[in-house]
Amino acid sequence: MKDINTLHKTSVLIIGGGITGLTAALLLERCNIDFILIEKHKTTSILPRARTIDIRTMEIYRELGLSENLREAGKELAPSWGILRGNNLKEALTQTDSKIIGKITYPSELENLKHLGEKSPEIGCRCTQDLSEKILFNKLIDKKQDLRFYHQMLSFKQLGNTTTSIVQNRETGNQYSIQAQYIIAADGANSPTRKQLNIATYGHGSWTNLLNIYFKADLSLIVKGKEFSQLLIETQEITGFLLSINNKDKWAFHLKYDPEKQNSDSFTPENILPILYKILGYPDIDISVLNLSPWQLTVRIAKEIAKGNVFIVGDAAHTMTPYAGKGASAGIQDVHNLVWKLKHILQGKADKKLLSTYDIERQNVGAFYANLSGELANENGLVKDQLLLEKGNLLIGLPDYSYNSTAISNKQDLPTEFITGISYTGVIGTRLPHLWLDKQQTISTLDWIDYKFTLIVNQYSDYWIQAWAQTKQELNIDIKLHHFLDATVLDQWTELTNSTLSDALLVRPDGFIAARLSSNDTKNNLLECLKEILSIN
């Protein structure tokens, strides 16, 4: 039944209710921006899928007040680090010379990761996507937000400053229209939105067909004290990898198969059972198959991630293999970069030119991690465990890159190419350095940001108080002002950031440094810098 004349209006339409779309919704809600979220499936994910939330993403969820919820939900999986190799699980766990990468001992290659981990108030988290999405979904339901699951976008058009989408309620078949100023497309690797926008993609493409076998088997006593992340199996008969899901009774085996010899539809729970018994090596354990779903290793990168009033995020923008652990996290960081910009434009406090910086800042980050994820796959489609160790500093999850766009002031000091390996010393375009503000190590400098523009001054002087008050009043923007109450912490901060008492940092809502300012440099002042960042010069 069609009734497309029934028109729903909102500021932002989110297409996709996975972890990226739900995070976008939480950020919009926090910014008091009205939105409608549509998701074609009936529920959040029923499959574990992504299992890792990296450090930077946990910083974002810390900001949203959800980091501890996620850590608690994933506590059963938390001990699962390290990669095993063997012909089956029993062999891998019982052989004294079984090779475990990054497990039990702390290899010298990982010492640098320990050092990097001290640069954040958070640590990475293990939490499967079915659990994390429920946490985000329930938070939004508690806030009575407009989430429309089992609704699907059929088409959309852009006209002037608005978008109009035709949406179908899949339960009733009814169609209706949603008019929004902006669309955030978090609609997955095969994004219909990206395709309708005719956005070209590049990258390795798809290769290696795998069958995700999600199954139940009580292995809790077998793996207790020997927890692992994954087991790699490469035999003449079976190639694939076994993933820990909860270290108890839920597991996933990803089986490599040749679609020219065997169609994915030919796999059934009954004919899969012999394979599972072989890869486990425990013939007396009860096994039940919960779900079978085929997929392909894919690296596909959109050449542009913004077109008019439509922004593509997450897998729609940069599809990657799971081996870098960056798929979900990259999407979450996409929307964290985007939403504060939408907020200031919707509130009339920034020029629309600000939105061009989303593509400039995030496209190359997504491309970098997508390509890296492809490099980590071997010829059989399994993770290259040694390369994983070598690339560990790139995978830990700290944003060791800089942004260079018009949303950064004084950008002449920044390299024009995309680089990694940034030190956290307060350089413009980089994520604000972390420093504990209290002896109990509960409050970080990152906690000051709170998804708002923030001015961090080394000395609480009349100059900065006046500059802050004048800028707030003239631009009608909520800017937070923070200074250091503890002299010891201030000394640590000035040494860390190579700054003097007259200096200050202007930090964007997403935690990236927009400008370094000095009370001795009145030409490069707070008001003019913020105008430049918001494109309102």
Side-chain angles (χ1 to χ4, degrees):
M1 178 179 175
K2 293 185 178 181
D3 188 15
I4 58 175
N5 292 322
T6 300
L7 185 63
H8 302 239
K9 292 187 177 182
T10 189
S11 294
V12 180
L13 171 63
I14 303 171
I15 303 173
I19 194 167
T20 298
L22 292 169
T23 303
L26 284 167
L27 291 168
L28 289 166
E29 188 276 333
R30 190 167 188 205
C31 292
N32 295 314
I33 298 172
D34 61 295
F35 66 88
I36 296 172
L37 180 148
I38 60 172
E39 162 58 47
K40 67 179 181 180
H41 294 105
K42 288 184 176 181
T43 66
T44 53
S45 179
I46 60 171
L47 297 176
R49 297 190 182 180
R51 300 179 304 151
T52 303
I53 305 175
D54 72 20
I55 291 178
R56 177 55 185 159
T57 305
M58 285 300 285
E59 290 176 356
I60 293 170
Y61 285 134
R62 177 189 182 94
E63 188 179 275
L64 288 167
L66 292 173
S67 58
E68 290 307 314
N69 303 65
L70 292 163
R71 221 180 305 281
E72 175 65 21
K75 65 182 179 181
E76 292 178 339
L77 185 60
S80 295
W81 297 96
I83 298 175
L84 295 170
R85 282 186 177 273
N87 293 325
N88 58 55
L89 180 62
K90 183 177 182 179
E91 175 188 297
L93 290 178
T94 56
Q95 282 185 349
T96 56
D97 62 347
S98 179
K99 189 174 185 182
I100 306 179
I101 303 297
K103 181 72 174 173
I104 310 299
T105 59
Y106 213 90
S108 58
E109 295 96 328
L110 296 180
E111 284 299 330
N112 189 44
L113 302 192
K114 186 187 292 185
H115 171 66
L116 287 174
E118 296 169 355
K119 297 184 180 298
S120 174
E122 286 291 334
I123 59 173
C125 173
R126 287 291 204 192
C127 184
T128 55
Q129 194 166 334
D130 54 336
L131 300 178
S132 58
E133 286 186 6
K134 283 180 183 177
I135 289 171
L136 307 187
F137 178 85
N138 289 337
K139 181 84 168 179
L140 288 161
I141 290 296
D142 288 345
K143 292 178 177 292
K144 298 179 171 56
Q145 298 303 304
D146 194 346
L147 309 181
R148 305 183 185 183
F149 276 64
Y150 215 39
H151 288 235
Q152 183 173 7
M153 189 272 290
L154 302 179
S155 65
F156 70 91
K157 61 182 179 181
Q158 300 189 67
L159 183 62
N161 292 322
T162 61
T163 67
T164 302
S165 302
I166 307 301
V167 177
Q168 183 177 51
N169 180 329
R170 298 183 70 190
E171 183 173 1
T172 65
N174 291 345
Q175 295 179 16
Y176 60 94
S177 300
I178 297 178
Q179 186 180 88
Q181 289 174 263
Y182 298 101
I183 291 175
I184 297 176
D187 49 352
N190 295 313
S191 171
T193 309
R194 185 190 67 229
K195 291 175 181 177
Q196 186 175 326
L197 290 169
N198 292 317
I199 292 177
T201 60
Y202 65 99
H204 194 294
S206 297
W207 77 103
T208 305
N209 289 268
L210 294 157
L211 182 71
N212 180 359
I213 308 166
Y214 184 32
F215 67 98
K216 193 171 183 178
D218 188 356
L219 303 173
S220 54
L221 295 179
I222 293 170
V223 302
K224 189 174 183 180
K226 300 178 182 180
E227 292 85 357
F228 62 95
S229 174
Q230 58 179 297
L231 164 66
L232 306 182
I233 297 176
E234 291 182 274
T235 68
Q236 288 185 342
E237 190 178 0
I238 298 173
T239 295
F241 53 97
L242 176 70
L243 298 181
S244 301
I245 302 302
N246 68 357
N247 283 318
K248 292 183 179 180
D249 61 346
K250 290 183 180 177
W251 308 85
F253 184 67
H254 294 262
L255 173 70
K256 179 186 177 185
Y257 71 96
D258 185 348
E260 293 184 2
K261 297 179 180 178
Q262 192 166 20
N263 190 289
S264 62
D265 293 337
S266 66
F267 291 106
T268 66
E270 291 73 28
N271 63 30
I272 281 295
L273 280 177
I275 295 174
L276 294 179
Y277 278 111
K278 284 180 181 178
I279 63 105
L280 293 180
Y282 296 98
D284 299 327
I285 289 178
D286 290 332
I287 302 175
S288 59
V289 176
L290 302 175
N291 185 273
L292 298 173
S293 52
W295 65 287
Q296 290 178 308
L297 287 178
T298 301
V299 172
R300 184 181 295 115
I301 304 156
K303 288 188 175 180
E304 53 185 330
I305 57 176
K307 208 161 188 178
N309 289 2
V310 182
F311 304 88
I312 59 174
V313 298
D315 287 346
H318 32 71
T319 308
M320 56 189 80
T321 79
Y323 302 147
K326 287 288 174 284
S329 288
I332 291 159
Q333 292 164 40
D334 286 344
V335 295
H336 194 248
N337 178 285
L338 174 63
V339 168
W340 72 266
K341 299 172 182 178
L342 289 174
K343 168 190 172 181
H344 285 83
I345 290 164
L346 286 165
Q347 292 178 348
K349 297 173 183 178
D351 189 272
K352 196 172 178 180
K353 288 184 289 186
L354 174 63
L355 289 176
S356 66
T357 65
Y358 168 66
D359 186 291
I360 293 168
E361 293 181 350
R362 291 303 303 174
Q363 198 278 342
N364 53 17
V365 176
F368 175 82
Y369 285 118
N371 285 323
L372 177 59
S373 78
E375 291 175 23
L376 291 170
N378 71 13
E379 63 277 4
N380 276 330
L382 305 186
V383 66
K384 297 177 182 176
D385 41 17
Q386 288 294 340
L387 185 60
L388 195 64
L389 278 180
E390 295 171 16
K391 300 288 187 179
N393 63 315
L394 298 175
L395 304 174
I396 191 171
L398 289 170
D400 61 339
Y401 48 80
S402 62
Y403 289 147
N404 186 357
S405 73
T406 56
I408 302 292
S409 185
N410 299 331
K411 53 191 172 296
Q412 66 270 14
D413 296 330
L414 290 173
T416 55
E417 72 278 7
F418 178 69
I419 63 168
T420 61
I422 296 294
S423 59
Y424 298 91
T425 57
V427 176
I428 57 173
T430 65
R431 196 270 268 137
L432 179 73
H434 152 67
L435 188 67
W436 290 117
L437 297 170
D438 60 333
K439 293 180 181 178
Q440 296 77 25
Q441 296 191 346
T442 59
I443 305 172
S444 165
T445 46
L446 298 185
D447 297 326
W448 274 347
I449 309 307
D450 199 32
Y451 213 46
K452 296 180 176 68
F453 276 106
T454 305
L455 183 67
I456 299 176
V457 300
N458 290 354
Q459 191 172 54
Y460 193 61
S461 66
D462 290 341
Y463 173 85
W464 290 120
I465 295 171
Q466 183 177 351
W468 167 69
Q470 177 192 359
T471 304
K472 281 184 65 177
Q473 181 177 9
E474 184 160 334
L475 299 182
N476 190 26
I477 287 179
D478 183 13
I479 308 170
K480 301 175 71 180
L481 175 65
H482 283 289
H483 66 289
F484 298 89
L485 298 175
D486 187 307
T488 302
V489 177
L490 175 58
D491 288 343
Q492 293 172 339
W493 182 254
T494 54
E495 181 179 357
L496 175 63
T497 58
N498 191 28
S499 59
T500 67
L501 290 180
S502 63
D503 293 341
L505 295 179
L506 175 61
V507 188
R508 307 187 325 183
D510 60 355
F512 281 72
I513 298 167
R516 287 179 71 113
L517 304 169
S518 172
S519 57
N520 297 325
D521 181 8
T522 55
K523 289 184 180 179
N524 186 32
N525 61 56
L526 176 62
L527 177 60
E528 293 307 313
C529 279
L530 202 48
K531 283 182 177 179
E532 178 185 359
I533 291 156
L534 297 173
S535 297
I536 53 177
N537 276 345

